[in-house]
Amino acid sequence: MALTPETMRMIWLFLVVVLLIIELVTVGLTTIWFAAGSVSAFLLSLAGLGIGWQIGVFLVVSIVLFVFTRPWAMKYVNKKSEKTNYEGVIGRTVKVTQEINNTEQTGKAVYDGQEWTARSADDNTVIEAGQLARVVRIEGVKLIVREKEEK
């Protein structure tokens, strides 16, 4: 089956729409470059150039935009992501608000006004509510703590 100029126009328009929808859904600057390449190829199809030119321009425009503008876009677009600096919690003292018992899969602790799920670094150690503990690491969203020694 030969691809007619009208079929190619429809294919390029379809690609533009699909790629823009994907970009809107993901908001990750992943397909916008290829949508621009599709627009370029669509314009060539309107001008009556052959499929070889259309595909070539699609590839060249997409790759050039991706290589030369993506680093800039990643630096200046979507800057709203917040760094949590959760590593700063390691070594800090927390107050145990619910008994930490790894066997029972229970435990909560408060740090800086926020309650976290907590587990003991030692499976055999139970830390009672009301005691202080020191954060030794974080696993997922759980604080891994050791009972704080009295000085």
Side-chain angles (χ1 to χ4, degrees):
M1 176 178 137
L3 294 173
T4 66
E6 292 79 25
T7 303
M8 286 309 300
R9 286 185 200 116
M10 295 306 292
I11 290 171
W12 292 121
L13 278 177
F14 176 77
L15 264 176
V16 170
V17 170
V18 168
L19 292 168
L20 288 176
I21 289 171
I22 292 170
E23 186 64 39
L24 288 172
V25 171
T26 62
V27 194
L29 295 174
T30 53
T31 61
I32 192 75
W33 327 112
F34 302 102
S38 298
V39 168
S40 301
F42 172 73
L43 293 174
L44 287 183
S45 73
L46 288 177
L49 287 159
I51 190 169
W53 280 101
Q54 294 171 34
I55 292 173
V57 166
F58 166 76
L59 291 172
V60 168
V61 169
S62 298
I63 291 169
V64 166
L65 285 175
F66 182 80
V67 169
F68 290 106
T69 62
R70 190 168 196 275
W72 173 85
M74 296 305 288
K75 184 175 181 182
Y76 295 107
V77 180
N78 288 338
K79 291 181 74 172
K80 294 180 183 176
S81 63
E82 290 182 35
K83 296 189 188 271
T84 60
N85 293 327
Y86 71 90
E87 294 95 355
V89 177
I90 297 171
R92 302 291 183 165
T93 300
V94 295
K95 182 164 184 157
V96 177
T97 56
Q98 177 190 34
E99 178 184 83
I100 298 173
N101 185 327
N102 292 4
T103 305
E104 299 294 323
Q105 294 291 307
T106 61
K108 302 242 185 232
V110 173
Y111 172 74
D112 198 25
Q114 293 190 328
E115 189 170 63
W116 291 67
T117 300
R119 295 293 181 261
S120 176
D122 177 13
D123 284 338
N124 299 321
T125 301
V126 173
I127 305 172
E128 299 295 327
Q131 289 187 299
L132 297 178
R134 185 176 54 83
V135 178
V136 293
R137 68 181 182 278
I138 297 176
E139 290 180 3
V141 294
K142 294 181 185 131
L143 298 178
I144 307 302
V145 300
R146 288 196 188 283
E147 193 170 8
K148 188 168 182 179
E149 290 109 21
E150 301 282 327
K151 290 187 177 185

